[in-house]
Amino acid sequence: MEVFLQQLINGVAWGSIYALIALGYTMVYGVLKLINFAHGEVYMVGAMTGYYVARWLGVDANPSAGGLLIVLLAAMMVCAALGMLIERIAYRPLRRAPRLAPLITAIGVSLLLQNLGQIVFGADPKVAPGLLSSRVLVQAGSIAVTSLQVVIFAVSLSLCAGLTFAVHRTRMGKAMRAVSFDREAAALMGIPIDRVIAYTFALGSALAAAAGILVGLSNPKIDPLMGVMPGLKAFVAAVLGGIGSIPGAMLGGVLMGIAETMVSGYLSSTYRDAIAFVILIGVLVLRPEGLLGKPEREKV
Amino acid sequence: MKSSRLGMGLLAALALAWGCQKKEAGEIRIGEYGSLTGNTATFGQSTHKGVLLAVEEANAAGGVLGKKITLITEDDQSKPEEARTAALKLIRQDKVIALIGEVASSRSLAAAPEAQRAKIPMISSASTNPQVTQVGDFIFRACFIDPFQGGTMARFAFEDLKVRRVAMLVDIKNDYSVGLSQFFEKTFKELGGEIIASESYSEGDIEFRAQLTKIRESKPEAIFVPGYYTEAGLIAKQARELGLAIPLLGGDGWDSTVTLEIGKEAVEGVYFSNHYASDDPSPRIQEFIAKFKKRWEGEVPDAMAVLGYDAANMLLDAIRRAGEPDPIKIRDQLAATKEFAGVTGDMMIDADRNARKPIVILKIEGGKFKFVKSLAPQ
Amino acid sequence: MAVPKKLPNGAGLLIAFVSLVAFDRGFSLLDNAYLNQVLILAGINIVLAVSLNLINGFTGQFSIGHAGFMAIGAYVSAAASVYLSVPFFSFVENSLGWPIAAGQLLFFPFLLALGGLAAALAGFLVGFPVLRLRGDYLAIATLGFGEIIRVLILNVEAVGGARGLSVASPDPRYDIRYEGLFAVFGIVVLTVWALARLSYSIRGRAYLAVRDDEVAAESIGVSAARIKSEAFVISSFFAGLAGVLFAQSQGYVHTNSFTFLRSIEAIAFVVLGGMGSITGCILAAVALTVAPEVLRPVAEYRMVAYAFILIAMMLLRPGGLLGMKEFSWGWFFRRKEKPS
């Protein structure tokens, strides 16, 4: 039982990272019906930005909550800008093109960022700045919960709540919902589509940056290719929770984390990578709208 | 039919012109192929730094046999078939007389048959799969093979640390890791020990708590982690966070400052096998570290770099002894290497064309790698 | 869509055969193994591209897991070389009483059939759950399967796992690898011929119908599910053949050769060449195989250039180089016609 609980805790903490990344996927997909393959790389850029900013400010030498906040904000701003840039250059021109075109560009942008990252940042792994030290908060028998795990989960949850608030209680949020419901009608109603979409990308990318910083706290190895697998798995998480649904992304992320951890812990760690894809296919076949999504009828 | 023969002749002439590179009379061409890009770029780039340093040093000292060494480096994108392509290009287009490469046994295995076929000696800096040198008598290596390193760590664990129940955490995507773990397990069991758990991860992973929690359940006395420094530090950190205060054991893949940077206090007390100890006061080692830092802007050499350096120098030494840049003579001299003073130890090439050299066990103490003991090859 | 005027037929095949022999002999004269390697890789990429074109271009289904099928073909044939060569040749020699040369002649089709059919079976199994999905979901699902296949292979010790597998027979008498240009390009020509015939046939029309409007196609009696599955299976079969060629020519297989990146490269061929143009795919495959070799001096930027090509193609010329058209000699001669 103790093992199970420990694995559960591990899974929830790890899944919170997926949740943050998944939020970006789900928002962009809701608004544009596009899988933003480059999202995983935005997460990577967030982590890298944190690394360089922390070193530049000298924050990594004296960790503090204030330092963490500055680094977090810096990374989120940089990635928001990056997200908007990507949208503007690679996706906007293809808004009228068949669905596959932006998917291919997305893959292209992803590859571009990975390889540029290797050239600019260097291929060797870097140590993320230790902006928050970790203590064991709770120790019950052999179960340990570290303060970092709690922080990660708490931050994810609050960002998710903040996002839900933004989407349901603000005007921009309403515009986003309108655009995701019916883009043409929204445009006819006078909603500035381009701006709304840019805003969506900015928000989603900022969240990915936050994920990048948080993951650097608990798993401090960062490198230019770190976004590939988490990006894919976070997408699966978004699908699992119901693509287009914000609480779904959070739920999906946490479930993914738990699933991966449980499979590693109880079945076999060799198949851990495959589990994400098995879940994906399972969801797509059995319940394509995801856990919290609404079934869509395909119109002729 | 005259026109078609003319056509063939023209084609052949064009191809020949493309095929023959202009060769400077006073130069010796050596080829290096490695993963300069792709997901194992960090290993290829590190190795390259060591190889280049060795070549530049040789040239600064007047070259080899009075000739300048031209190092032609080709990237294989971390892919086996590209390793073969790169090797073929170096052999056929650039007409190199010897090849250095690769780090990954899979890529060495892809390229080695071509080197063997073309009768060009190939020396791998860090491929540890015994199969690599079995490809043919033109294939050599400058590092330990898995049976030796895995067996040594097993013996150390059993005899020195006196542990009997060991768990393993293996990188299943990596033949180095898999190979080491197989031989560790074999020797450890032969000695009378038990492998009570074996979990796996993939290179590139950053989250190991699930596997470590499972390992914790089996209550091991030590954990063998035959992986690379890219994951080692994180594994140690997470193990400690989960309350696993037992000794961690590793192979030469741990050798890098990245391990210390990421692991910090968590890697204190880790034992791993390596080629040399950086705190060894021997001038050979200290001079190398100083030279490397100077050449590469303060960067501390890791296992890949130092092996690349030694492999290159071993090759240059063999060329010197051969007396002329003839691939067959070089191969013979490589095979006859009885005492090569490398940074990673005094080596000899044995009958299987593998390097025989002492292995050192290091312990991480106070943020540094400290020498524990050295074991001579059997 | 321009239907090419002259479809290859039996006589064309004979011409192809003779050209192949000349091609093979000609390049053996040069004795440049590097050149051969590039040509062979180009050939394998052609098969991969043209087979993927059937799904992506003609049937409009987006599959980014093609490397998985190639991997199956490669590994099955490699395993056959290692484990089945002795039984096979013994059977030919002892039970049938034929000379070894006959065995050698038959072993290649045997390997091709095994690899291709295994991949086709995988295509069928994958297609089952996956083909009812729409556009991007299908893409991700196929990507998922590509990865699942790779992870599964990695865990099979009998084919080497992380150590890879060398393609060699335990018995030196039966140790044969079909790595010549004739063998490789023979299959390339056969693949192109077969897929061209299929694509420009009545059945091919059905594929296009499904691509253009699935619901409408259903309403005129074209079973979309059946078509999609068929395209998937056929496409996987040829991807498997590409895998067999890969294993035979390289002599060593490892899952690192069949990653997601390989699938993306295949996509790049189809996108660059034009989704729906067989000749476009051939040109693109050759260009994208040769270009990295030419660009070796700037190898560091090779992948960056690749990524740029993908993005630029989609932004500037989403139809690809040839779009939906095939290459025709008529294009050269059109200018000579004078308007009357």
Side-chain angles (χ1 to χ4, degrees), chain A residues 3 6-7 10 14 118 123-125 127 142 149 215 218-221 225 261 264-265 267 269-270 272-273, chain B residues 38-39 41-42 172 199-200 202 205-207 209-211 213-214 216-217 230-231 234 237-238 242 261-262:
Chain A
V3 182
Q6 178 74 71
Q7 296 287 39
N10 296 338
W14 182 236
Q118 276 197 326
D124 48 314
V127 191
S142 64
Q149 285 178 316
V215 89
S218 71
N219 308 56
K221 181 194 84 160
L225 298 182
T261 310
S264 289
L267 284 179
S269 35
T270 53
R272 205 200 55 240
D273 263 0
Chain B
N39 60 336
T42 174
I172 47 148
E199 295 302 317
S200 60
S202 295
D205 279 354
I206 57 175
E207 176 67 13
R209 274 174 260 257
Q211 296 93 316
T213 305
K214 198 170 172 196
R216 191 179 67 181
E217 278 320 290
T230 37
E231 286 76 46
L234 277 180
K237 188 166 180 295
Q238 290 172 15
L242 284 172
E261 285 167 18
I262 296 182

Side-chain angles (χ1 to χ4, degrees), chain A residues 25-45:
Chain A
Y25 272 118
T26 221
M27 290 201 321
V28 167
Y29 193 86
V31 155
L32 268 187
K33 298 280 178 292
L34 162 78
I35 302 174
N36 182 11
F37 258 102
H39 198 57
E41 272 56 58
V42 173
Y43 154 85
M44 177 270 292
V45 170

Side-chain angles (χ1 to χ4, degrees), chain B residues 27-288:
Chain B
E27 76 169 3
I28 294 182
R29 303 176 133 211
I30 296 185
E32 179 201 2
Y33 69 99
S35 53
L36 302 173
T37 61
N39 60 336
T40 56
T42 174
F43 300 149
Q45 288 175 7
S46 229
T47 309
H48 176 63
K49 289 184 180 141
V51 172
L52 192 56
L53 182 62
V55 169
E56 286 174 349
E57 255 179 25
N59 282 335
V64 169
L65 301 178
K67 303 195 173 139
K68 176 174 154 258
I69 305 278
T70 305
L71 177 72
I72 308 178
T73 309
E74 290 296 346
D75 174 35
D76 62 24
Q77 304 174 52
S78 309
K79 293 183 194 166
E81 67 276 11
E82 290 300 323
R84 186 171 187 260
T85 310
L88 280 172
K89 172 179 182 285
L90 289 167
I91 296 174
R92 301 288 175 177
Q93 289 291 103
D94 302 312
K95 307 263 190 292
V96 298
I97 56 163
L99 271 182
I100 302 178
E102 228 253 20
V103 167
S105 299
S106 55
R107 297 194 282 273
S108 293
L109 280 172
E114 294 308 317
Q116 179 69 28
R117 207 190 280 198
K119 299 212 183 330
I120 298 284
M122 175 179 124
I123 179 161
S124 161
S125 59
S127 288
T128 56
N129 183 338
Q131 282 178 31
V132 172
T133 41
Q134 287 164 8
V135 168
D137 59 353
F138 272 81
I139 315 298
F140 299 82
R141 81 177 96 214
C143 57
F144 314 121
I145 54 176
D146 291 335
F148 180 46
Q149 204 181 170
T152 301
M153 276 319 280
R155 211 156 284 122
F156 179 76
F158 196 86
E159 290 160 8
D160 292 66
L161 296 181
K162 308 233 188 298
V163 294
R164 298 288 175 266
R165 295 159 45 85
V166 172
M168 299 199 298
L169 184 55
V170 183
D171 179 349
I172 47 148
K173 261 208 199 165
N174 212 303
D175 50 24
Y176 160 80
S177 189
V178 169
L180 265 190
S181 70
Q182 281 174 352
F183 287 104
F184 178 92
E185 181 170 357
K186 181 162 168 289
T187 310
F188 199 67
K189 281 185 173 159
E190 276 170 11
L191 290 169
E194 244 191 289
I195 303 291
I196 52 170
S198 183
E199 295 302 317
S200 60
Y201 64 96
S202 295
E203 71 185 353
D205 279 354
I206 57 175
E207 176 67 13
F208 311 95
R209 274 174 260 257
Q211 296 93 316
L212 287 168
T213 305
K214 198 170 172 196
I215 286 179
R216 191 179 67 181
E217 278 320 290
S218 56
K219 305 213 193 319
E221 295 172 297
I223 311 180
F224 183 50
V225 185
Y228 281 114
Y229 57 82
T230 37
E231 286 76 46
L234 277 180
I235 293 177
K237 188 166 180 295
Q238 290 172 15
R240 302 309 183 212
E241 282 172 11
L242 284 172
L244 283 162
I246 51 180
L248 294 176
L249 307 168
D252 65 333
W254 281 67
D255 179 23
S256 166
T257 46
V258 174
T259 309
L260 299 166
E261 285 167 18
I262 296 182
K264 300 201 179 74
E265 318 78 50
V267 291
E268 290 289 314
V270 166
Y271 293 97
F272 67 97
S273 53
N274 200 9
H275 306 268
Y276 74 124
S278 47
D279 66 341
D280 188 329
S282 137
R284 210 193 296 171
I285 294 179
Q286 293 309 320
E287 270 169 31
F288 166 71

Side-chain angles (χ1 to χ4, degrees), chain A residues 43-64:
Chain A
Y43 154 85
M44 177 270 292
V45 170
M48 287 290 177
T49 308
Y51 172 78
Y52 284 109
V53 167
R55 289 221 325 193
W56 181 54
L57 289 177
V59 174
D60 54 342
N62 354 319
S64 65

Side-chain angles (χ1 to χ4, degrees), chain B residues 15-32:
Chain B
L16 267 168
W18 176 46
C20 289
Q21 303 289 70
K22 238 194 345 194
K23 206 165 157 188
E24 287 172 39
E27 76 169 3
I28 294 182
R29 303 176 133 211
I30 296 185
E32 179 201 2

